[in-house]
Amino acid sequence: MKKIIIILIAFAMLGILGGGGMPDKKGDVSIFHNEIFGASKGHFEIQWEKSYGKIWWWSARYEGPQPVGDADNDGKIELLIGGRDPFMRVMKYDDAKGYYEQAKIIDPAFGVGYGLWVRLGDNWIEIPEPFGSATGFSIADIDNDGKNEIGVAWGGHFSFFKWNGHRYKLVGKYLITSKNNGGTTLDCIVGDYDNDGKNEIIVTGGFENENSLIVLRWDGKELVRVAGWGYRSIYFPWVADVDNDGKNEVLVGHGRELTVLKWNGNNFDSHVIDKFDYQVIGSVAKDSNGDGIKEIHTTFGYPRLCIYEWNGSGYERIYDKIWNGEADTIEAIDVGDVDNDGKAEVCIGTNKVHILEWNGSGYEEEYLINDTYGGLAVTCVGDFDNDGKLEINAGAVWRESEDQDYKSWIFKYVE
């Protein structure tokens, strides 16, 4: 038993387990193209593709609410790729060599992870995990110094890192769970939740003897807990002004309830927008219909997307779609102009990537990318190659068959 543990840990440190897989690739994409939006439309191509292996407890990819930004403050965009392995990968683009890993940050809290059950033959054995996984991650100004850092929820704690010119150096760490205080972090997001002009860190999850939403602040020396709320599991929170009052709110899926939290100066006032028969997973608040107001785009532990908008007195559901027979939408949601037509699209992942556009009276599917598979926990939008145009990053958190790899893709629109 000890020999097995030592071998697995050694492989993990070397990045052998699921760390290689297929080389980076480019290629064409099979798409459905809705001609109603114009006959001159182009198509999507696979700009980059990588396998992370076939091992479910190592290779699966996770999403973070803020995976895109200038992580090293060089004026160019980076992309974070995380998953069940203990690495936070920082991806950069270079015209000569394409996408490459600038850094591979490892969980700094050795020994905090929980036991992992692995099947060997007909038996299941528990292997102590020395590291956690990057369950949620953000590129943002965490310490309010005017420069971006990388923040990661690792399953048991939150930590953040600053580029020092050579590497991403650990700045602060906050332990949330332990073996005596169970549960796990699920996500984190950085934003000004209390409208004081400074960013805070919201870490969510499902914890024992602790709120399922915890607010942290950097006080110049360490991370301190300043607020908490909730008792049901919370994935993929969001911070934005969703009621058009000039102040930010926090969006959460509190168990099966889509909930808006508004800070009243002392604690959170909560308002339930909608209730469902399954877990509410993610919410992204961005303007997707061009009216200047941020809509709420919500995903679930079910193949469904709901979009809500503030109508002046309440939150109105303006779109509701279920893709029967496809994978759950989970955290696979983002908004941006991915086909360079001057209008924002809604990108939603099941086992496929659905791309919707506002047609003046409702949302209509403009493209459907078919070359993905599994459950796309990752579907995010950003200018990953710094050419002034947005791309789509997708990644699989589960597969449809054991012969498939856990992959990440970047899709680019071309005329």
Side-chain angles (χ1 to χ4, degrees), residues 123-281:
N123 300 314
W124 289 86
I125 62 171
E126 185 178 11
I127 298 177
E129 286 188 271
F131 302 103
S133 301
T135 57
F137 32 91
S138 294
I139 298 174
D141 184 5
I142 295 170
D143 60 5
N144 294 288
D145 68 345
K147 297 181 179 181
N148 286 334
E149 293 81 36
I150 294 175
V152 187
W154 292 101
H157 73 100
F158 174 86
S159 55
F160 75 103
F161 307 82
K162 184 184 290 290
W163 180 254
N164 64 8
H166 304 283
R167 64 186 179 90
Y168 289 94
K169 182 179 179 181
L170 177 67
V171 179
K173 180 171 60 179
Y174 187 91
L175 183 66
I176 297 173
T177 68
S178 69
K179 294 188 184 298
N180 296 319
N181 176 26
T184 181
T185 61
L186 294 170
D187 270 304
C188 63
I189 192 167
V190 179
D192 184 9
Y193 83 102
D194 59 359
N195 300 285
D196 67 348
K198 296 182 178 180
N199 284 335
E200 293 81 27
I201 309 104
I202 293 176
V203 183
T204 61
F207 313 122
E208 297 176 12
N209 307 315
E210 178 58 277
N211 291 126
S212 51
L213 181 151
I214 298 167
V215 182
L216 305 176
R217 177 179 293 142
W218 179 250
D219 70 357
K221 296 181 179 179
E222 61 181 357
L223 291 165
V224 295
R225 183 186 188 279
V226 294
W229 180 88
Y231 57 92
R232 298 171 182 158
S233 293
I234 297 175
Y235 299 74
F236 207 84
W238 199 261
V239 179
D241 178 11
V242 293
D243 62 3
N244 207 33
D245 67 348
K247 296 181 179 180
N248 285 334
E249 290 79 37
V250 180
L251 286 170
V252 295
H254 187 228
R256 298 178 176 184
E257 298 176 346
L258 174 59
T259 305
V260 174
L261 305 177
K262 186 181 285 288
W263 187 250
N264 64 19
N266 296 304
N267 48 48
F268 288 106
D269 293 328
S270 63
H271 171 73
V272 176
I273 296 178
D274 215 340
K275 297 182 180 181
F276 300 89
D277 295 330
Y278 29 78
Q279 174 78 44
V280 180
I281 302 289

Side-chain angles (χ1 to χ4, degrees), residues 20-95:
M22 294 173 60
D24 299 355
K25 290 180 58 179
K26 296 181 180 180
D28 294 327
V29 181
S30 300
I31 64 168
F32 163 78
H33 169 206
N34 191 339
E35 296 292 343
I36 196 171
F37 288 94
S40 64
K41 288 291 181 182
H43 63 282
F44 286 90
E45 292 181 352
I46 298 177
Q47 186 185 37
W48 174 86
E49 177 182 28
K50 185 176 178 65
S51 165
Y52 292 90
K54 289 183 167 66
I55 305 172
W56 68 265
W57 51 267
W58 181 273
S59 308
R61 298 299 91 194
Y62 285 151
E63 177 67 292
Q66 297 164 312
V68 183
D70 185 1
D72 58 5
N73 300 287
D74 68 346
K76 296 182 178 180
I77 296 298
E78 285 78 43
L79 168 67
L80 300 181
I81 294 181
R84 288 191 181 134
D85 53 27
F87 304 121
M88 181 76 270
R89 292 172 166 87
V90 185
M91 305 297 296
K92 288 184 75 72
Y93 182 85
D94 181 87
D95 287 336

